[in-house]
Amino acid sequence: TALADLQPPLISGVVAVPQFGRVSIEWLNSEPANATVWFGTTNAVTNVVSDPAFRLQSRVLLPELVFGETYFFYVTATDRAGNTSTNNN
């Protein structure tokens, strides 16, 4: 009997971490999942950075951001079965 994975990974502990003029977005997944961060200067986020590796602890480094700008972001995690979850912090 085959088992079907129908549950998306749970995302927790999402944080933005400044690192030497850049920012990484980090979070935990309840199961190995790849990582995508959507970000921008309005709620209509249009930029995307991804890590295709399946990890329990995700970390995505954003490109250089403009100092003094406010940025919005949300993260998605997709497991090997294709189940996706979103956290819009």
Side-chain angles (χ1 to χ4, degrees), residues 22-25 37-39 49 60-65 71 73:
R22 304 214 31 208
V23 173
S24 68
I25 308 298
V37 176
W38 297 82
F39 68 99
V49 180
V60 176
L61 187 63
L62 300 184
E64 291 185 28
L65 304 176
Y71 286 84
F73 71 92

Side-chain angles (χ1 to χ4, degrees), residues 25-78:
I25 308 298
E26 303 175 9
W27 68 92
L28 300 175
N29 300 307
S30 61
E31 62 180 300
N34 62 27
T36 302
V37 176
W38 297 82
F39 68 99
T41 56
T42 69
N43 282 335
V45 295
T46 56
N47 303 297
V48 63
V49 180
S50 297
D51 177 4
F54 291 92
R55 307 177 195 276
L56 288 172
Q57 186 172 5
S58 293
R59 178 181 178 270
V60 176
L61 187 63
L62 300 184
E64 291 185 28
L65 304 176
V66 176
F67 180 78
E69 284 282 344
T70 298
Y71 286 84
F72 301 86
F73 71 92
Y74 69 88
V75 303
T76 63
T78 304

Side-chain angles (χ1 to χ4, degrees), residues 5-11 29-33 77-79 81-86:
D5 178 1
L6 304 175
Q7 297 297 318
L10 298 176
I11 296 171
N29 300 307
S30 61
E31 62 180 300
T78 304
D79 65 17
N83 303 307
T84 300
S85 58
T86 300

